Amino acid sequence: MTYKQIEQIESFIKEVNELKEDTAIAHKVLYERGRTLHEKFSASNVGYMVAVNWNNCAFFGYAGNSTTYFVDKIKSNLEVMLSALKGILDAIPQYSYILEVRKDIARGRKIKKADKHNFIAEIVVKYQGKIDFGKVIQDYLKEDNMLSWSIEDTSYFNGIIQKLELYLVEICEEKKTAKRQTQEKQTVVNVNQNVNQNQETNVNVTISFEDCFKALDDCETLNDTETQEIKKQLQEIQELLKDKKGKKKSIKSKIANILKWVAEKGTDVMIAVLPVLLQSLQGLQ
């Protein structure tokens, strides 16, 4: 995923939050904007794949009767959308590191003039081997510039900030062949591939659903029958993922059915189930 796509997802999250927190908005407008946002997200190329049921959010009266909008269900849909978007970001291994680099950039922009020289030195050391700051900066740090701050010093400082901003883009463009740190997220798919002497390939895929199942046990909006049923469906997906060859269509169909079911349940159910489903879909690409 590119840095531009990450920024796009973050802007989507901001849009949903602003809509959800707008207490003065008319129910009709809330419904229309929520549905429009969902369609926009689905059309984007950021991995947003979630089924949201809008049919149960409004009752369109007959023979000219007014339409009734169900605000709780509309906001429930917004929560599903929000969880899906956050799930995409959480599945990006570099995202926490991107946030760290951004924090350094924001700190640098607010730093006092007297501290800028130390900031430059700190950043050069921290990102040594990751960012090429060039010989000019290295020579500059060897000089005694602590007591005087000139226009030239300002250009060095601005150059450091620009380097950090460019680095945000480079983080997402690093070698895609590098192995991802699957331990960072419990929902990450771990793939072990063994090839025997007959050139037959055996792929073993294991997904940790344990936390998902535990979270479902704590969902107050589900009764025992519903909890066991959703667990059974998740276990079927888990089994199919162990050898997904020729079964991708079936897996996607089962995930789509669960997403439709989840969209009608409480927020706690969405939070419990969505991360595993989103990661499972990403593993099929």
Side-chain angles (χ1 to χ4, degrees), residues 218-283:
D218 294 331
C219 289
E220 297 179 356
T221 55
L222 296 178
N223 57 42
D224 291 340
T225 302
E226 289 175 321
T227 301
Q228 294 306 315
E229 179 59 30
I230 188 62
K231 283 185 178 181
K232 180 180 178 182
Q233 293 183 52
L234 288 169
Q235 286 169 345
E236 289 176 0
I237 292 173
Q238 187 178 20
E239 288 301 314
L240 289 171
L241 283 167
K242 289 181 179 179
D243 183 10
K244 62 179 179 245
K245 185 177 181 181
K247 300 177 182 178
K248 290 186 178 181
K249 187 175 181 180
S250 177
I251 295 172
K252 289 181 179 179
S253 176
K254 288 182 180 293
I255 290 176
N257 289 334
I258 293 177
L259 287 172
K260 290 178 183 178
W261 181 84
V262 167
E264 299 177 358
K265 301 300 175 181
T267 303
D268 54 348
V269 182
M270 303 171 200
I271 294 173
V273 176
L274 277 176
V276 169
L277 296 181
L278 291 171
Q279 187 61 55
S280 298
L281 283 170
Q282 191 175 49

Side-chain angles (χ1 to χ4, degrees), residues 71-93:
V71 178
D72 288 344
K73 291 185 177 180
I74 296 172
K75 290 194 173 182
S76 178
N77 280 356
L78 295 177
E79 287 291 349
V80 173
M81 294 160 60
L82 202 57
S83 296
L85 292 167
K86 289 180 179 179
I88 297 172
L89 290 181
D90 289 340
I92 301 173

Side-chain angles (χ1 to χ4, degrees), residues 47-278:
Y48 178 87
M49 295 178 290
V50 61
V52 178
N53 186 359
W54 293 98
N55 295 326
N56 65 351
C57 294
F59 176 76
F60 300 94
Y62 301 103
N65 293 330
S66 60
T67 301
T68 301
Y69 296 95
F70 306 110
V71 178
D72 288 344
K73 291 185 177 180
I74 296 172
K75 290 194 173 182
S76 178
N77 280 356
L78 295 177
E79 287 291 349
V80 173
M81 294 160 60
L82 202 57
S83 296
L85 292 167
K86 289 180 179 179
I88 297 172
L89 290 181
D90 289 340
I92 301 173
Q94 313 98 316
Y95 189 62
S96 59
Y97 185 53
I98 286 173
L99 294 179
E100 182 182 342
V101 178
R102 281 181 179 172
K103 190 179 294 185
D104 284 334
I105 294 172
R107 182 165 58 89
R109 292 192 181 281
K110 295 179 181 179
I111 207 164
K112 296 179 180 179
K113 182 185 293 186
D115 298 324
K116 287 187 174 181
H117 186 280
N118 286 336
F119 176 79
I120 294 174
E122 175 194 338
I123 294 300
V124 169
V125 172
K126 181 175 181 178
Y127 293 96
Q128 186 176 9
K130 298 177 181 177
I131 301 177
D132 182 9
F133 292 103
K135 187 174 182 298
V136 174
I137 292 295
Q138 298 293 342
D139 292 341
Y140 165 75
L141 290 173
K142 293 177 183 178
E143 300 174 4
D144 186 10
N145 298 302
M146 295 291 290
L147 300 178
S148 61
W149 187 264
S150 64
I151 295 177
E152 185 180 8
D153 296 320
T154 300
S155 67
Y156 290 141
F157 175 79
N158 291 339
I160 291 291
I161 296 296
Q162 290 172 5
K163 284 279 189 179
L164 287 173
E165 290 174 334
L166 289 172
Y167 182 51
L168 286 172
V169 178
E170 293 173 4
I171 291 172
C172 299
E173 295 178 351
E174 290 176 350
K175 294 180 179 180
K176 296 180 180 180
T177 54
K179 292 183 179 179
R180 294 185 174 183
Q181 300 298 316
T182 55
Q183 293 80 8
E184 291 183 3
K185 294 293 174 183
Q186 293 178 334
T187 57
V188 173
V189 180
N190 297 311
V191 181
N192 294 316
Q193 187 175 44
N194 298 313
V195 182
N196 60 25
Q197 292 180 346
N198 296 322
Q199 301 301 313
E200 294 179 353
T201 304
N202 176 32
V203 180
N204 177 32
V205 181
T206 305
I207 297 180
S208 174
F209 282 79
E210 291 182 4
D211 284 349
C212 175
F213 294 152
K214 290 178 182 178
L216 283 169
D217 288 334
D218 294 331
C219 289
E220 297 179 356
T221 55
L222 296 178
N223 57 42
D224 291 340
T225 302
E226 289 175 321
T227 301
Q228 294 306 315
E229 179 59 30
I230 188 62
K231 283 185 178 181
K232 180 180 178 182
Q233 293 183 52
L234 288 169
Q235 286 169 345
E236 289 176 0
I237 292 173
Q238 187 178 20
E239 288 301 314
L240 289 171
L241 283 167
K242 289 181 179 179
D243 183 10
K244 62 179 179 245
K245 185 177 181 181
K247 300 177 182 178
K248 290 186 178 181
K249 187 175 181 180
S250 177
I251 295 172
K252 289 181 179 179
S253 176
K254 288 182 180 293
I255 290 176
N257 289 334
I258 293 177
L259 287 172
K260 290 178 183 178
W261 181 84
V262 167
E264 299 177 358
K265 301 300 175 181
T267 303
D268 54 348
V269 182
M270 303 171 200
I271 294 173
V273 176
L274 277 176
V276 169
L277 296 181
L278 291 171

